[in-house]
């Protein structure tokens, strides 16, 4: 094997420093050592106290390494009164993958549509009762309990979450056809 | 003289000889002896194994092995099990089914792990393969019971339908009625992952009743205890059985019914299920316990005393999965009763709790390692560990092949000495010379990696989390572990240097996963340019990596060797580093 590849870039230690916070958050950290740690280290420097302490028992993604179906099974079997989530499939024309979302997590249409826009990285346009979604090639639609495809937003939110079976972001002319309201 | 040997047998004779060679490794060796053996072997290979569905294309596999009957495919990296791989990353089986549908009408078996399997894929399977027999979906997702209905309705010769650990959409049990009344060939059914409460017992009972060859039946939580007796009576020949919810009001008639049904099952060797278990109903299984070799109690919230009582009836256990409710005392009992134990998995009952809720420590593992001479595979979750215990364990059990220890709090030190656990894990790799799989946890410095690189010569899979000091650690592993195939790392301060210095090593491995480490985007690009036979995938939900400085670390990195270059089904948050930037545009264009 040849010797090390010459790696020019200035090692921006701050950028490569590890921390467990969310990406994008920026805190003043002083330790040059890139060690991830908590206070269980024997030679604890007093400097460590100045670091922004991790929030108490913040759950780390994927740790401990247990499958989700194991986590669910420690709870008693969910009955209707427990109010489990309302999970539905969300698909977008042209995207090769499906998402599953929990409608209970959202308090209304604006929140839901924002989340959907973020998931598939596109813009949904402005909603109006008469004209459907303007300003975009896409329209969010859903299949209701009767198997009909409706435009998202036409019925009150409460009715929507109980009748929605699945969501589909339609593209193009099919979408425009639905824009004429129910 | 030598050449004459190769041609001295007619092809049919060699084919016949090769038919006794089943293992992939041996088949691969056979095919490398000479050109004519390569040709003969490829036509008679019946089972194909593809460890990474993106390492090769379906067309290439079919071209080389035009007559295979069974295929096993794996998709997502292992850390997908713990939600580290974002939804939509990939692993779609449909393109494979589509290619095989036309070329291999006699395909009989499809086994998939961590792949996205849509209802469309299932419908295409049902439609395309007239003699389809075995479908095993392990940790797959993307399908619903609608797709299962298609399989049930169409595959007249289906023998095995196994959905272990999948996340399918259970839209109700009507799909079971799609098995025609004339259908009787079921041998194995595992639906333990399905979640719907809408159960059709009559369909299930009729199916079980007419399939007299049924050997394996794993039900799901929705099946109540009072239905089990009837089902068992329809299938007393069962070898493997998984109950549903093991709870009912305490009634003597239900109990005696159940006990009677279990007694009639003389072949039962494996039990699982036991959700919501009520201890009073456990003795119903005592009649079969002495023959049990495998017991999965990992959903059974039983106290230690009940667990000990149960285990004491099962002296022939080889495999036990259990919650940490068993405690040290239970494991000590296990060690004295089950001398044939080969595999033990102890799961945490309260993984997110701050304080320990049970008395399970390193002592339990020490006891088992001491009392069970055949123990080779361990998965153990606990909250404290010491170097002393690990050294004892290593010396007790040099025959370990799989050792996965998870100390629940990251970077936990030796609780006795407050030192890192380097020496303890070092002993494991030093004494257990046949170790194939290792998962580390606790407080660890680069020193443990030095031990691993020095001693773990047979190690094939290594999982590392919250460990090490810097690049030297990773360098030890990559340069020392000769047999390494899969390496997965999260939250470690490993950066560019070790990765770039060991670039060639990566081509000898199946894959490398690194998340929340310190590998810069610049290094990823460099690696991608330097190694055309690797796919260097940067996975980053924050947005395009080139919108940040090159020195910025990437969020997640998945590197795997491949013969077919970047894949065409990448979602918006995955970028493959390549030689030619214009090629990258091409890949993205194919998505839309």
């Amino acid at each position: 094997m040849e010797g090390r590849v010459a790696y020019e870039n200035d090692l921006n230690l701050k950028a490569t420093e590890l921390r467990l916070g969310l990406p994008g958050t920026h805190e003043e950290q002083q330790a040059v050592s890139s060690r991830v740690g908590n206070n269980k280290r024997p030679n604890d420097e007093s400097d460590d106290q100045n670091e922004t302490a991790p929030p108490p028992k913040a759950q780390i993604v994927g740790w401990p390494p247990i499958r989700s179906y194991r986590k669910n099974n420690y709870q008693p079997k969910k009955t209707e009164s427990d109010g489990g989530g309302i999970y539905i499939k969300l698909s977008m024309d042209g995207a090769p993958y499906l998402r599953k979302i929990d409608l209970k997590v959202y308090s209304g249409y604006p929140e839901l549509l924002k989340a959907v826009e973020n998931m598939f990285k596109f813009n949904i346009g402005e909603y109006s009762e008469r004209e459907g979604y303007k300003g975009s090639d896409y329209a969010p639609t859903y299949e209701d309990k009767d198997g009909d495809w409706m435009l998202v937003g036409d019925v009150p939110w409460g009715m929507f979450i109980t009748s929605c079976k699945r969501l589909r972001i339609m593209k193009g002319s099919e979408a425009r056809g639905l824009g004429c309201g129910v | 003289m030598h050449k004459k040997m190769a041609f001295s047998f007619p092809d049919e004779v060699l084919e016949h000889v090769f038919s006794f060679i089943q293992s992939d490794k041996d088949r691969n060796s056979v095919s490398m002896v000479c050109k004519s053996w390569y040709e003969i072997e490829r036509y008679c290979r019946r089972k194909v194994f593809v460890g990474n569905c993106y390492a090769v294309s379906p067309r290439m596999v079919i071209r080389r092995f035009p007559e295979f009957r069974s295929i096993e495919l794996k998709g997502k990296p292992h850390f997908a099990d713990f939600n580290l791989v974002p939804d939509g990353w990939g692993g779609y089986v449909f393109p494979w089914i589509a290619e095989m549908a036309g070329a291999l009408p006699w395909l009989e078996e499809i086994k998939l792990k961590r792949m996205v399997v849509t209802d469309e894929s299932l419908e295409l399977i049902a439609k395309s393969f007239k003699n389809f027999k075995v479908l095993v979906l392990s940790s797959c997702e993307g399908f619903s019971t609608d797709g299962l209905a298609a399989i049930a309705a169409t595959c007249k010769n289906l023998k095995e339908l196994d959905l272990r650990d999948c996340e399918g959409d259970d839209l109700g049990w009507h799909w079971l009625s799609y098995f025609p009344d004339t259908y009787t060939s079921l041998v194995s059914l595992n639906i333990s992952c399905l979640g719907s409460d809408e159960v059709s017992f009559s369909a299930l009972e009729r199916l079980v009743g007419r399939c007299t060859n049924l050997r394996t039946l794993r039900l799901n939580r929705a099946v109540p205890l009072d239905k089990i007796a009837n089902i068992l009576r329809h299938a007393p020949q069962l070898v493997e059985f998984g109950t549903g919810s093991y709870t009912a009001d305490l009634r003597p008639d239900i109990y005696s019914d159940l006990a009677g049904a279990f007694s009639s099952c003389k072949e039962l060797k494996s039990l699982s299920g036991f959700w919501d278990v009520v201890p009073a109903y456990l003795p119903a299984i005592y009649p079969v316990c002495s023959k049990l070799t495998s017991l999965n109690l990992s959903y059974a919230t039983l106290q230690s005393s009940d667990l000990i009582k149960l285990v004491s009836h099962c002296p022939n256990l080889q495999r036990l999965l259990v919650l940490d409710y068993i405690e040290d005392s239970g494991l000590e009992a296990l060690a004295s009763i089950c001398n044939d134990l080969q595999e033990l998995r102890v799961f945490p009952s309260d993984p997110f709790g701050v304080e320990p809720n049970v008395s399970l420590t390193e002592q339990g593992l020490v006891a088992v390692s001491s009392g069970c001479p055949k123990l080779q595979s361990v998965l153990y979750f606990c909250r404290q560990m010491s170097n002393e215990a690990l050294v004892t364990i290593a010396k007790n059990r040099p025959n370990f092949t799989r050792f996965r220890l998870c100390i629940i709090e990251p970077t936990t030190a030796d609780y006795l000495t407050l030192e890192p656990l380097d020496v303890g894990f070092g002993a494991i790799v030093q004494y257990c010379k046949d170790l194939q799989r290792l998962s580390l946890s606790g407080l660890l410095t680069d020193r443990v990696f030095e031990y691993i690189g020095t001693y773990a010569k047979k190690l094939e899979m290594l999982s590392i989390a919250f460990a090490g000091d810097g690049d030297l650690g990773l360098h030890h592993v990559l340069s020392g572990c000769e047999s390494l195939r899969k390496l997965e790392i999260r939250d470690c301060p490993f950066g560019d240097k070790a990765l770039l210095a060991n670039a060639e090593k990566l081509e000898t491995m199946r894959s490398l996963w690194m998340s929340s480490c310190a590998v810069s985007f610049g290094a990823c690009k460099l690696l991608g340019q330097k190694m055309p036979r690797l796919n260097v995938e940067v996975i980053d939900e924050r947005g395009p990596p080139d919108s940040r400085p090159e020195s910025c670390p990437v969020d997640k990195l998945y590197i795997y060797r491949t013969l077919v270059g970047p894949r065409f089904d990448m979602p918006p948050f995955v970028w493959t580093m390549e030689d030619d930037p214009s090629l990258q545009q091409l890949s993205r264009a194919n998505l839309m």
Side-chain angles (χ1 to χ4, degrees), chain B residues 293-297 311 317-322 326 331 334 338 341-346:
Chain B
T293 56
S294 170
L295 188 52
N296 183 351
L297 296 171
V311 156
L317 271 190
Q318 295 172 13
R319 186 168 185 263
L320 177 66
L321 281 67
V322 73
I326 196 169
L331 290 175
L334 181 71
C338 300
L341 197 68
Q342 296 172 20
E343 180 179 350
L344 174 67
R345 298 192 188 206
V346 179

Side-chain angles (χ1 to χ4, degrees), chain A residues 142-148 161-165:
Chain A
Y142 70 101
E143 184 183 2
D144 73 2
K145 281 207 161 105
D146 303 322
D148 298 320
I161 58 175
T162 53
S163 60
C164 172
K165 268 177 40 185

Side-chain angles (χ1 to χ4, degrees), chain B residues 11 62 147 157 246 248 252 255 299 302 306 374 435 519:
Chain B
D11 288 2
I62 295 170
N157 295 317
Y246 206 79
Y255 181 88
Y299 303 112
L302 290 164
D306 290 319
K374 299 191 190 159
L435 197 67
V519 180

Side-chain angles (χ1 to χ4, degrees), chain B residues 212-250:
Chain B
T212 52
N213 289 321
L214 196 64
R215 290 277 171 279
T216 300
L217 180 63
R218 304 244 190 235
L219 302 172
N220 67 344
R221 202 172 178 180
V223 179
L225 192 55
D226 55 2
K227 294 290 180 190
I228 298 290
N230 237 13
I231 292 171
L232 284 178
R233 260 192 292 274
H234 279 115
Q237 76 283 3
L238 280 179
V239 176
E240 300 182 323
F241 181 64
T243 75
S245 184
Y246 206 79
T247 181
D249 296 331
L250 296 177

Side-chain angles (χ1 to χ4, degrees), chain B residues 11-56:
Chain B
D11 288 2
E12 303 84 61
V13 173
L14 279 173
E15 246 189 69
H16 182 69
V17 171
F18 294 168
S19 69
F20 294 100
I21 300 170
Q22 302 288 350
S23 109
D24 270 325
K25 274 197 188 141
D26 293 341
R27 281 253 165 190
N28 291 343
S29 306
V30 159
S31 66
M32 297 214 283
V33 165
C34 64
K35 271 202 178 129
S36 74
W37 279 36
Y38 177 92
E39 282 301 308
I40 297 168
E41 193 282 318
R42 76 184 187 89
Y43 277 99
C44 67
R45 188 174 305 206
R46 296 284 175 261
K47 283 192 170 156
V48 168
F49 170 77
V50 179
N52 176 1
C53 64
Y54 291 120
V56 74

Side-chain angles (χ1 to χ4, degrees), chain B residues 60-163:
Chain B
M60 287 173 77
V61 175
I62 295 170
R63 196 164 55 218
R64 178 170 171 193
F65 303 114
E67 307 272 340
F68 67 86
R69 299 267 191 279
S70 162
I71 184 162
E72 186 176 344
L73 284 170
K74 296 190 180 181
K76 300 185 210 173
H78 173 240
F79 273 174
D81 285 356
F82 316 125
N83 301 320
L84 287 177
V85 178
D87 269 346
W89 171 84
Y92 306 101
V93 79
F94 189 82
W96 288 82
I97 311 292
E99 285 286 348
M100 295 188 297
L104 294 157
W106 300 112
L107 190 68
E108 295 178 1
E109 294 188 1
I110 296 176
K111 301 181 183 179
L112 307 174
K113 189 165 189 181
R114 289 192 203 97
M115 294 197 78
V116 178
V117 183
T118 56
D119 285 346
E120 270 179 283
S121 306
L122 292 177
E123 283 152 21
L124 190 55
I125 290 173
K127 209 167 53 169
S128 315
F129 308 118
K130 303 298 173 215
N131 201 23
F132 194 67
K133 293 193 175 137
V134 172
L135 183 65
V136 177
L137 303 182
S138 173
S139 302
C140 295
E141 45 146 358
F143 63 93
S144 79
T145 44
D146 286 351
L148 299 179
I151 299 280
T154 323
C155 302
K156 301 190 308 258
N157 295 317
L158 191 72
K159 282 169 55 176
E160 225 177 290
L161 180 60
D162 185 337
L163 308 173

Side-chain angles (χ1 to χ4, degrees), chain A residues 119-131:
Chain A
M119 275 182 229
F120 289 102
K121 310 274 185 282
F122 75 108
N123 271 316
I124 244 170
E126 289 277 320
Y127 174 74
S128 80
E129 252 193 67
R130 266 190 347 146
E131 293 175 354

